[in-house]
Amino acid sequence: MKKIEHIGIAVKDIDEAEQRFAKLLSTLSYKRETVESEGVITSFFKTGESKLELLAPTRPDSPIQKFLNKKGEGIHHIAFEVDDIEQKMATLKQEGFILINDQPKDGADNKKIAFIHPKSTGGILVEICQEK
Ligand code: ZN
């Protein structure tokens, strides 16, 4: 893993959360993007070298909606940047981690992404991502 690429935060209402985080970080969101396949609308903030990704559901069967129902708003995942996502996925699998998807998926912010199940990481949803 190269570095923490971003932290994902589940929110109910993207407009309201965007305003709140803009105040908190004293900076505006630099990008909004909907990933329809995941049922999610994202909004990105950059503060120093760190990035936050707000995630809100676009439909009731969205994985983010399920997360909100279960846990409420808050930290959803930690994303690490990798050089070669396919290779990293294979290594993690060999080491006993449970991958949620077998193949990298298209994520927001021009990334290929994959998720590691919290069951195998002590309760933290981990994303690995590679710039396309
Ligand atoms: Zn993410």
Side-chain angles (χ1 to χ4, degrees):
M1 312 276 195
K2 287 167 75 180
K3 62 168 188 178
I4 292 181
E5 213 284 329
H6 62 271
I7 294 175
I9 297 171
V11 302
K12 289 179 194 158
D13 179 329
I14 199 78
D15 294 321
E16 187 271 325
E18 219 172 52
Q19 286 178 22
R20 180 158 28 96
F21 277 89
K23 267 190 222 160
L24 177 69
L25 303 172
S26 304
T27 186
L28 296 174
S29 162
Y30 68 91
K31 174 170 14 184
R32 251 199 204 198
E33 193 178 338
T34 300
V35 184
E36 207 37 72
S37 58
E38 297 295 305
V40 68
I41 179 161
T42 63
S43 177
F44 287 89
F45 286 84
K46 202 177 249 170
T47 178
E49 297 201 334
S50 304
K51 271 163 65 180
L52 294 182
E53 174 187 34
L54 305 183
L55 306 123
T58 59
R59 50 174 199 258
D61 66 342
S62 157
I64 294 296
Q65 186 59 58
K66 286 176 193 158
F67 179 91
L68 288 169
N69 293 345
K70 235 168 111 178
K71 299 196 169 171
E73 292 187 303
I75 293 181
H76 178 260
H77 64 269
I78 298 178
F80 292 94
E81 188 178 17
V82 298
D83 284 325
D84 183 338
I85 194 166
E86 279 90 359
Q87 191 194 23
K88 195 71 194 171
M89 287 172 77
T91 312
L92 289 167
K93 221 171 173 175
Q94 263 176 9
E95 284 166 352
F97 291 98
I98 303 162
L99 297 176
I100 293 179
N101 39 308
D102 280 334
Q103 297 294 323
K105 298 192 286 190
D106 286 335
D109 205 24
N110 198 39
K111 300 258 193 313
K112 292 200 283 185
I113 64 169
F115 285 101
I116 309 169
H117 201 287
K119 251 193 254 174
S120 60
T121 59
I124 302 156
L125 179 61
V126 174
E127 173 186 325
I128 55 173
C129 59
Q130 181 190 344
E131 196 84 28
K132 267 190 213 164

